[in-house]
Coordinates of all heavy atoms in Angstrom, one line a residue:
M18 N 0.8 -1.2 -0.1 CA 0.0 0.0 -0.1 C 0.8 1.3 0.0 O 2.0 1.3 0.6 CB -0.8 0.1 1.3 CG -2.0 -0.9 1.2 SD -3.1 -0.6 2.6 CE -2.7 -2.1 3.4
R19 N 0.4 2.3 -0.7 CA 1.1 3.5 -0.7 C 0.6 4.4 0.3 O -0.5 4.4 0.7 CB 1.1 4.1 -2.0 CG -0.2 5.0 -2.3 CD -0.1 5.6 -3.7 NE -1.5 5.9 -4.1 CZ -2.0 7.0 -3.6 NH1 -1.5 7.7 -2.8 NH2 -3.4 7.2 -3.9
A20 N 1.6 5.0 1.0 CA 1.2 6.1 2.1 C 0.8 7.3 1.5 O 1.2 7.8 0.4 CB 2.5 6.3 3.0
I21 N -0.1 8.1 2.2 CA -0.6 9.4 1.8 C -0.1 10.3 2.9 O 0.0 9.9 4.1 CB -2.0 9.4 1.4 CG1 -2.9 9.1 2.6 CG2 -2.3 8.6 0.2 CD1 -4.4 9.4 2.4
A22 N -0.1 11.6 2.6 CA 0.2 12.6 3.6 C -0.9 12.5 4.7 O -2.2 12.3 4.4 CB 0.1 14.0 3.1
F23 N -0.5 12.7 6.0 CA -1.5 12.6 7.1 C -2.6 13.6 7.0 O -3.8 13.4 7.3 CB -0.8 12.6 8.4 CG -1.7 12.1 9.6 CD1 -1.9 10.7 9.7 CD2 -2.3 13.0 10.4 CE1 -2.8 10.3 10.6 CE2 -3.0 12.5 11.5 CZ -3.4 11.2 11.5
D24 N -2.3 14.8 6.6 CA -3.2 16.0 6.4 C -4.3 15.5 5.4 O -5.5 15.8 5.6 CB -2.5 17.2 5.9 CG -1.6 17.9 7.0 OD1 -1.8 17.4 8.0 OD2 -0.8 18.7 6.6
R25 N -4.0 14.9 4.4 CA -5.0 14.4 3.4 C -5.8 13.4 4.0 O -7.0 13.4 3.7 CB -4.2 14.0 2.2 CG -5.2 13.5 1.1 CD -4.5 13.0 -0.2 NE -5.3 12.1 -1.0 CZ -4.9 11.3 -1.9 NH1 -3.6 11.2 -2.1 NH2 -5.7 10.4 -2.5
F26 N -5.2 12.5 4.7 CA -5.9 11.5 5.4 C -6.9 11.9 6.3 O -8.2 11.6 6.3 CB -5.0 10.6 6.1 CG -5.5 9.5 7.0 CD1 -6.4 8.5 6.6 CD2 -5.4 9.6 8.4 CE1 -6.9 7.6 7.4 CE2 -5.9 8.7 9.3 CZ -6.6 7.7 8.8
C27 N -6.6 12.9 7.1 CA -7.5 13.6 8.0 C -8.7 14.3 7.3 O -9.8 14.1 7.6 CB -6.8 14.7 8.8 SG -5.6 14.0 9.9
A28 N -8.4 15.0 6.2 CA -9.4 15.6 5.5 C -10.4 14.7 4.9 O -11.7 15.0 5.0 CB -8.8 16.5 4.3
E29 N -9.9 13.6 4.4 CA -10.9 12.6 3.8 C -11.7 11.8 4.9 O -12.9 11.7 4.7 CB -10.1 11.5 3.0 CG -9.5 12.1 1.7 CD -8.8 10.9 0.9 OE1 -9.1 9.8 1.1 OE2 -8.0 11.3 0.0
A30 N -11.0 11.5 5.9 CA -11.7 10.9 7.1 C -12.9 11.8 7.6 O -13.9 11.4 7.9 CB -10.7 10.5 8.1
L31 N -12.5 13.1 7.8 CA -13.5 14.1 8.3 C -14.7 14.2 7.4 O -15.8 14.4 7.8 CB -12.9 15.4 8.7 CG -12.0 15.4 9.9 CD1 -11.3 16.7 10.1 CD2 -12.8 14.9 11.2
C32 N -14.4 14.2 6.1 CA -15.4 14.4 5.1 C -16.4 13.2 5.1 O -17.6 13.4 5.0 CB -14.8 14.4 3.7 SG -16.0 14.7 2.3
L33 N -15.9 12.0 5.4 CA -16.8 10.9 5.4 C -17.4 10.7 6.8 O -18.4 9.9 6.9 CB -15.9 9.6 5.2 CG -15.4 9.5 3.7 CD1 -14.5 8.4 3.7 CD2 -16.6 9.2 2.7
N34 N -16.9 11.4 7.8 CA -17.6 11.2 9.2 C -18.3 12.4 9.6 O -18.6 12.5 10.8 CB -16.5 10.7 10.1 CG -16.1 9.3 9.9 OD1 -16.8 8.4 10.3 ND2 -14.8 9.2 9.3
G35 N -18.7 13.3 8.7 CA -19.4 14.5 9.2 C -20.9 14.3 8.8 O -21.3 13.4 8.2
P36 N -21.6 15.2 9.4 CA -23.1 15.1 9.2 C -23.3 15.4 7.6 O -22.6 16.1 7.0 CB -23.6 16.4 9.9 CG -22.6 16.6 11.0 CD -21.2 16.2 10.3
P37 N -24.3 14.8 7.0 CA -25.3 14.0 7.5 C -25.0 12.5 7.6 O -25.8 11.7 8.1 CB -26.5 14.2 6.6 CG -25.7 14.4 5.3 CD -24.6 15.2 5.6
M38 N -23.7 12.2 7.2 CA -23.2 10.9 7.3 C -23.2 10.2 8.6 O -23.6 9.1 8.7 CB -22.0 10.6 6.5 CG -21.9 11.1 5.1 SD -22.9 10.2 4.0 CE -21.9 8.7 3.8
R39 N -22.8 11.0 9.5 CA -22.6 10.5 11.0 C -23.1 11.6 11.9 O -23.3 12.8 11.4 CB -21.2 10.3 11.3 CG -20.5 9.3 10.4 CD -20.8 7.9 10.9 NE -20.1 6.9 10.2 CZ -20.4 6.2 9.1 NH1 -21.7 6.5 8.6 NH2 -19.6 5.3 8.5
A40 N -23.5 11.3 13.1 CA -24.0 12.1 14.1 C -22.8 13.3 14.4 O -21.6 13.0 14.2 CB -24.3 11.5 15.4
M41 N -23.2 14.4 14.9 CA -22.2 15.5 15.1 C -21.3 15.1 16.2 O -20.1 15.3 16.1 CB -23.0 16.7 15.6 CG -22.2 18.0 15.6 SD -21.4 18.1 14.1 CE -20.8 19.8 14.1
G42 N -21.7 14.3 17.2 CA -20.8 13.8 18.2 C -19.7 12.9 17.7 O -18.5 13.0 18.1
T43 N -20.1 12.0 16.8 CA -19.1 11.2 16.0 C -18.0 11.9 15.4 O -16.9 11.8 15.3 CB -19.8 10.3 15.1 OG1 -20.7 9.4 15.9 CG2 -18.7 9.3 14.4
F44 N -18.5 13.0 14.7 CA -17.7 14.0 13.9 C -16.7 14.7 14.9 O -15.5 14.7 14.5 CB -18.5 15.0 13.1 CG -17.7 16.1 12.4 CD1 -16.9 15.7 11.3 CD2 -17.6 17.3 13.0 CE1 -16.2 16.7 10.7 CE2 -16.8 18.3 12.4 CZ -16.1 17.9 11.2
R45 N -17.2 15.1 15.9 CA -16.3 15.8 16.9 C -15.2 15.0 17.4 O -14.1 15.3 17.6 CB -17.2 16.4 18.0 CG -18.0 17.6 17.6 CD -18.8 18.3 18.8 NE -19.5 19.3 18.3 CZ -20.8 19.5 18.6 NH1 -21.5 18.5 19.2 NH2 -21.5 20.4 18.1
Q46 N -15.7 13.7 17.8 CA -14.7 12.8 18.3 C -13.6 12.5 17.3 O -12.4 12.4 17.6 CB -15.4 11.5 18.7 CG -14.6 10.5 19.5 CD -15.3 9.5 20.3 OE1 -16.1 9.9 21.1 NE2 -15.0 8.2 20.0
M47 N -14.1 12.3 16.0 CA -13.1 11.9 14.9 C -12.2 13.1 14.8 O -10.9 12.9 14.7 CB -13.8 11.6 13.6 CG -12.9 11.4 12.4 SD -12.0 9.7 12.6 CE -13.4 8.6 12.3
R48 N -12.7 14.4 14.8 CA -11.9 15.5 14.5 C -10.9 15.7 15.7 O -9.8 16.0 15.5 CB -12.9 16.7 14.5 CG -12.1 18.0 14.3 CD -13.0 19.2 14.1 NE -13.8 19.3 15.5 CZ -14.9 20.1 15.6 NH1 -15.3 20.7 14.6 NH2 -15.5 20.1 16.7
Q49 N -11.3 15.4 17.0 CA -10.5 15.5 18.0 C -9.2 14.5 17.9 O -8.1 15.0 18.1 CB -11.2 15.2 19.4 CG -10.3 15.3 20.6 CD -10.9 14.9 21.8 OE1 -12.2 14.8 22.0 NE2 -10.2 14.7 22.9
V50 N -9.5 13.3 17.7 CA -8.4 12.3 17.7 C -7.5 12.6 16.4 O -6.3 12.5 16.6 CB -8.9 10.8 17.6 CG1 -9.5 10.4 16.3 CG2 -7.8 9.9 18.0
L51 N -8.0 13.0 15.3 CA -7.1 13.4 14.2 C -6.3 14.5 14.5 O -5.2 14.6 14.0 CB -8.0 13.4 12.9 CG -8.7 12.2 12.4 CD1 -9.6 12.4 11.3 CD2 -7.6 11.1 12.0
R52 N -6.9 15.5 15.0 CA -6.2 16.8 15.4 C -5.0 16.5 16.3 O -4.0 17.0 16.2 CB -7.2 17.9 16.0 CG -6.5 19.1 16.2 CD -7.5 20.1 16.6 NE -8.4 19.6 17.6 CZ -9.8 20.0 17.6 NH1 -10.2 20.9 16.8 NH2 -10.6 19.4 18.4
E53 N -5.2 15.6 17.3 CA -4.3 15.3 18.3 C -3.2 14.5 17.7 O -2.0 14.7 18.0 CB -4.9 14.6 19.5 CG -5.7 15.4 20.4 CD -6.4 14.6 21.5 OE1 -6.1 13.5 21.7 OE2 -7.2 15.3 22.2
F54 N -3.5 13.6 16.8 CA -2.4 12.8 16.1 C -1.7 13.6 15.1 O -0.4 13.5 15.0 CB -3.0 11.5 15.3 CG -3.0 10.3 16.2 CD1 -4.1 10.1 17.1 CD2 -2.0 9.5 16.2 CE1 -4.2 9.0 17.9 CE2 -2.0 8.3 17.1 CZ -3.1 8.1 17.9
A55 N -2.2 14.6 14.5 CA -1.7 15.5 13.5 C -0.5 16.3 14.1 O 0.5 16.6 13.3 CB -2.7 16.4 12.9
V56 N -0.5 16.6 15.3 CA 0.6 17.3 15.9 C 1.8 16.6 16.4 O 2.7 17.1 16.8 CB 0.0 18.3 17.1 CG1 -1.0 19.2 16.6 CG2 -0.5 17.5 18.3
L57 N 1.7 15.2 16.3 CA 2.8 14.4 16.7 C 4.0 14.7 15.7 O 3.8 14.6 14.5 CB 2.5 12.9 16.6 CG 1.4 12.4 17.7 CD1 1.1 10.9 17.4 CD2 2.0 12.6 19.1
P58 N 5.1 14.9 16.2 CA 6.3 15.3 15.3 C 6.7 14.3 14.3 O 7.2 14.7 13.2 CB 7.4 15.6 16.4 CG 7.0 14.9 17.6 CD 5.6 14.9 17.6
D59 N 6.5 13.1 14.6 CA 7.0 12.0 13.7 C 5.9 11.5 12.8 O 6.2 10.5 12.0 CB 7.6 10.8 14.4 CG 8.9 11.3 15.2 OD1 9.6 12.2 14.7 OD2 9.1 10.7 16.3
L60 N 4.8 12.1 12.7 CA 3.7 11.5 12.0 C 3.5 12.5 10.7 O 2.8 13.6 10.8 CB 2.4 11.5 12.7 CG 1.3 10.8 12.2 CD1 1.6 9.3 11.9 CD2 0.1 10.9 13.2
K61 N 4.0 12.1 9.6 CA 3.9 12.8 8.4 C 3.0 12.2 7.4 O 2.3 12.8 6.6 CB 5.3 13.0 7.7 CG 6.3 13.7 8.7 CD 5.9 15.1 9.0 CE 7.0 15.8 9.9 NZ 6.4 16.6 10.9
T62 N 3.1 10.8 7.3 CA 2.3 10.0 6.3 C 1.4 9.0 7.1 O 1.8 8.7 8.3 CB 3.0 9.5 5.2 OG1 3.8 8.4 5.9 CG2 4.0 10.4 4.5
T63 N 0.6 8.3 6.5 CA -0.2 7.2 7.0 C 0.8 6.0 7.3 O 0.4 5.3 8.3 CB -1.3 6.8 6.2 OG1 -0.8 6.5 4.9 CG2 -2.4 7.8 6.0
A64 N 2.0 6.0 6.7 CA 2.9 4.9 7.0 C 3.5 5.1 8.4 O 4.0 4.1 9.0 CB 3.9 4.8 6.0
D65 N 3.5 6.3 8.9 CA 4.0 6.6 10.2 C 3.1 6.3 11.4 O 3.4 6.4 12.6 CB 4.4 8.1 10.3 CG 5.4 8.5 9.3 OD1 6.3 7.6 8.9 OD2 5.4 9.6 8.8
L66 N 1.8 5.9 11.0 CA 0.8 5.7 12.1 C 1.1 4.1 12.6 O 0.4 3.3 12.1 CB -0.6 5.7 11.5 CG -1.7 5.9 12.4 CD1 -1.5 6.9 13.6 CD2 -2.9 6.1 11.7
R67 N 2.0 4.1 13.5 CA 2.5 2.8 14.0 C 2.2 2.8 15.5 O 1.8 3.8 16.1 CB 3.9 2.6 13.7 CG 4.1 2.6 12.2 CD 5.7 2.2 12.0 NE 5.9 2.2 10.6 CZ 5.6 1.1 9.8 NH1 5.0 0.1 10.3 NH2 5.9 1.0 8.5
P68 N 2.5 1.6 16.1 CA 2.2 1.6 17.6 C 3.0 2.7 18.3 O 2.5 3.1 19.5 CB 2.7 0.2 17.9 CG 2.4 -0.7 16.7 CD 2.6 0.2 15.6
T69 N 4.2 3.0 17.9 CA 5.0 4.0 18.6 C 4.4 5.3 18.6 O 4.4 6.1 19.5 CB 6.5 4.1 18.0 OG1 6.3 4.4 16.6 CG2 7.2 2.9 18.3
A70 N 3.7 5.6 17.5 CA 2.9 6.9 17.4 C 1.7 7.0 18.4 O 1.4 7.9 19.0 CB 2.4 7.1 16.0
I71 N 0.9 5.7 18.5 CA -0.1 5.6 19.4 C 0.3 5.7 20.8 O -0.3 6.5 21.6 CB -0.9 4.3 19.2 CG1 -1.5 4.3 17.7 CG2 -1.9 4.0 20.3 CD1 -2.0 3.0 17.3
S72 N 1.5 5.1 21.1 CA 2.1 5.2 22.4 C 2.5 6.7 22.7 O 2.2 7.2 23.8 CB 3.3 4.3 22.5 OG 3.9 4.4 23.8
A73 N 3.0 7.3 21.8 CA 3.4 8.8 22.0 C 2.1 9.6 22.3 O 2.1 10.6 23.1 CB 4.2 9.3 20.9
W74 N 1.1 9.3 21.5 CA -0.2 10.0 21.7 C -0.8 9.8 23.1 O -1.2 10.7 23.7 CB -1.2 9.6 20.6 CG -2.5 10.1 20.8 CD1 -3.0 11.5 20.5 CD2 -3.7 9.4 21.2 NE1 -4.3 11.5 20.8 CE2 -4.8 10.2 21.2 CE3 -3.9 8.1 21.6 CZ2 -6.0 9.9 21.6 CZ3 -5.2 7.7 22.0 CH2 -6.2 8.5 22.0
I75 N -0.8 8.5 23.5 CA -1.2 8.3 24.9 C -0.4 9.0 25.9 O -1.0 9.5 26.8 CB -1.3 6.7 25.1 CG1 -2.3 6.1 24.2 CG2 -1.5 6.4 26.5 CD1 -2.4 4.5 24.1
G76 N 0.8 9.0 25.6 CA 1.8 9.6 26.6 C 1.5 11.1 26.8 O 1.9 11.7 27.8
Q77 N 1.1 11.8 25.7 CA 0.7 13.2 25.8 C -0.5 13.6 26.5 O -0.7 14.7 26.8 CB 0.6 13.7 24.3 CG 1.8 13.8 23.6 CD 1.7 14.6 22.2 OE1 0.5 14.7 21.7 NE2 2.7 15.0 21.5
H78 N -1.3 12.6 26.8 CA -2.6 12.8 27.6 C -2.6 11.8 28.7 O -3.6 11.0 28.8 CB -3.7 12.5 26.6 CG -3.7 13.4 25.4 ND1 -3.9 14.7 25.4 CD2 -3.2 13.0 24.2 CE1 -3.7 15.1 24.2 NE2 -3.2 14.2 23.4
P79 N -1.7 12.0 29.8 CA -1.7 11.1 30.9 C -3.0 11.2 31.9 O -3.3 10.2 32.5 CB -0.4 11.4 31.7 CG -0.2 12.8 31.3 CD -0.8 13.0 29.9
A80 N -3.7 12.3 31.8 CA -4.8 12.5 32.8 C -6.0 11.9 32.1 O -7.1 11.8 32.8 CB -4.9 14.0 33.1
R81 N -6.0 11.5 30.9 CA -7.3 11.0 30.2 C -7.7 9.7 30.7 O -6.8 8.8 30.9 CB -7.0 11.1 28.7 CG -8.2 10.6 27.8 CD -8.0 10.7 26.4 NE -8.0 12.1 26.0 CZ -7.4 12.6 24.9 NH1 -6.7 11.8 24.2 NH2 -7.5 13.8 24.6
S82 N -8.9 9.5 30.9 CA -9.3 8.2 31.4 C -9.1 7.1 30.4 O -9.1 7.3 29.1 CB -10.8 8.3 31.7 OG -11.7 8.2 30.6
P83 N -8.9 5.9 30.9 CA -8.7 4.7 29.8 C -10.0 4.6 29.0 O -9.9 4.2 27.8 CB -8.5 3.6 30.7 CG -8.1 4.1 32.0 CD -8.7 5.4 32.2
V84 N -11.2 4.9 29.5 CA -12.4 4.6 28.7 C -12.4 5.8 27.6 O -12.7 5.3 26.4 CB -13.6 4.8 29.5 CG1 -14.8 4.9 28.8 CG2 -13.7 3.6 30.6
R85 N -12.0 7.0 27.8 CA -12.0 7.9 26.8 C -10.9 7.7 25.7 O -11.1 7.8 24.6 CB -11.8 9.3 27.5 CG -11.7 10.4 26.4 CD -13.0 10.7 25.8 NE -13.0 11.8 24.9 CZ -13.8 11.9 23.8 NH1 -14.7 11.0 23.6 NH2 -13.6 13.0 23.1
T86 N -9.7 7.1 26.3 CA -8.6 6.9 25.4 C -9.2 5.7 24.3 O -8.9 5.8 23.2 CB -7.4 6.4 26.2 OG1 -6.9 7.6 26.9 CG2 -6.3 6.0 25.1
A87 N -9.7 4.8 24.8 CA -10.3 3.6 24.1 C -11.3 4.1 23.2 O -11.3 3.6 21.9 CB -10.8 2.5 25.0
S88 N -12.3 5.0 23.5 CA -13.1 5.5 22.6 C -12.5 6.3 21.4 O -12.9 6.1 20.3 CB -14.1 6.5 23.4 OG -15.1 7.0 22.5
L89 N -11.6 7.2 21.7 CA -10.9 7.8 20.6 C -10.1 6.9 19.7 O -10.1 7.2 18.5 CB -9.9 8.9 21.2 CG -10.7 10.1 21.9 CD1 -9.6 10.9 22.8 CD2 -11.4 11.1 21.0
L90 N -9.6 5.9 20.3 CA -8.8 5.0 19.4 C -9.7 4.2 18.5 O -9.4 3.8 17.5 CB -8.0 4.0 20.3 CG -6.7 4.6 20.9 CD1 -6.1 3.6 21.9 CD2 -5.7 5.0 19.9
R91 N -11.0 3.9 19.0 CA -12.0 3.3 18.1 C -12.3 4.2 17.0 O -12.5 3.7 15.8 CB -13.3 2.9 18.9 CG -13.1 1.6 19.7 CD -14.4 1.2 20.3 NE -15.1 2.1 21.1 CZ -14.8 2.2 22.5 NH1 -13.9 1.4 23.1 NH2 -15.4 3.1 23.3
S92 N -12.3 5.5 17.2 CA -12.7 6.5 16.1 C -11.4 6.5 15.1 O -11.6 6.4 13.9 CB -12.8 7.8 16.6 OG -14.0 8.0 17.3
L93 N -10.3 6.4 15.6 CA -9.1 6.4 14.7 C -9.1 5.1 13.9 O -8.8 5.0 12.8 CB -7.8 6.4 15.6 CG -6.5 6.4 14.8 CD1 -6.4 7.7 13.9 CD2 -5.3 6.3 15.6
S94 N -9.5 4.1 14.6 CA -9.5 2.7 13.9 C -10.5 2.7 12.7 O -10.2 2.2 11.7 CB -9.9 1.6 14.9 OG -10.1 0.3 14.4
S95 N -11.6 3.3 13.0 CA -12.5 3.4 11.9 C -11.9 4.2 10.6 O -12.0 3.7 9.5 CB -13.8 4.2 12.3 OG -14.6 4.6 11.3
A96 N -11.3 5.2 11.0 CA -10.6 6.0 9.9 C -9.5 5.2 9.1 O -9.4 5.2 8.0 CB -10.0 7.3 10.3
C97 N -8.8 4.5 10.0 CA -7.6 3.5 9.4 C -8.2 2.4 8.5 O -7.7 2.1 7.5 CB -6.8 3.0 10.5 SG -5.8 4.2 11.3
K98 N -9.3 1.9 9.0 CA -10.0 0.8 8.1 C -10.4 1.3 6.7 O -10.3 0.7 5.8 CB -11.2 0.3 8.8 CG -10.8 -0.6 9.9 CD -12.1 -1.1 10.7 CE -11.6 -1.9 12.0 NZ -12.8 -2.2 12.9
Y99 N -10.9 2.7 6.8 CA -11.2 3.3 5.5 C -9.9 3.5 4.6 O -10.0 3.1 3.5 CB -11.8 4.7 5.7 CG -11.7 5.6 4.5 CD1 -12.7 5.3 3.4 CD2 -10.9 6.6 4.4 CE1 -12.6 6.1 2.3 CE2 -10.9 7.4 3.3 CZ -11.7 7.1 2.2 OH -11.6 7.9 1.1
A100 N -8.8 3.9 5.2 CA -7.6 4.1 4.5 C -7.1 2.8 3.9 O -6.7 2.8 2.7 CB -6.5 4.6 5.3
V101 N -7.2 1.7 4.6 CA -6.7 0.3 4.2 C -7.6 0.0 3.0 O -7.1 -0.5 2.0 CB -6.8 -0.6 5.3 CG1 -6.5 -2.1 4.7 CG2 -5.6 -0.3 6.3
S102 N -8.9 0.1 3.1 CA -9.9 -0.2 2.0 C -9.5 0.6 0.8 O -9.8 0.0 -0.3 CB -11.3 -0.1 2.5 OG -11.7 1.3 2.5
E103 N -9.2 1.7 0.9 CA -8.8 2.6 -0.3 C -7.5 2.3 -0.8 O -7.1 2.8 -1.9 CB -9.0 4.1 0.1 CG -10.4 4.5 0.3 CD -11.3 4.4 -1.0 OE1 -10.9 4.9 -2.0 OE2 -12.3 3.6 -0.8
G104 N -6.6 1.5 -0.2 CA -5.3 1.1 -0.6 C -4.3 2.3 -0.2 O -3.2 2.5 -0.8

């Protein structure tokens, strides 16, 4: 699979997860997790979205509850499944 720029990935994922396709709460959650991942220094393309990036993201939010972290990761997982399906 070829990697694409993470900014492009975010734009496509948000386009597919916004109203009226999804509820506004789903859109906000997707936007939050993508925005937080986008500021990671080593994340330039979708190929950089590896366990080390997820670990760094979790490390940036130590006060976040495990339930909220899991919820945001499910949103990210949904976007990643789309990316894989598109190649």
Side-chain angles (χ1 to χ4, degrees):
M18 279 185 254
R19 82 181 160 78
I21 63 169
F23 195 75
D24 291 343
R25 180 177 160 204
F26 169 68
C27 291
E29 289 183 22
L31 288 175
C32 182
L33 292 171
N34 285 285
M38 300 292 285
R39 301 279 187 267
M41 192 57 160
T43 303
F44 173 75
R45 287 185 183 126
Q46 185 161 309
M47 180 70 71
R48 183 178 59 192
Q49 177 185 349
V50 73
L51 291 174
R52 185 176 37 215
E53 289 178 4
F54 268 87
V56 298
L57 293 175
D59 296 332
L60 191 61
K61 303 297 182 216
T62 70
T63 52
D65 300 327
L66 194 53
R67 300 188 175 280
T69 53
I71 294 169
S72 178
W74 172 75
I75 292 171
Q77 286 185 346
H78 306 282
R81 184 175 282 157
S82 75
V84 172
R85 180 67 177 151
T86 298
S88 177
L89 290 168
L90 286 174
R91 281 191 298 274
S92 291
L93 181 66
S94 174
S95 171
C97 290
K98 287 176 187 171
Y99 162 73
V101 169
S102 73
E103 290 297 307

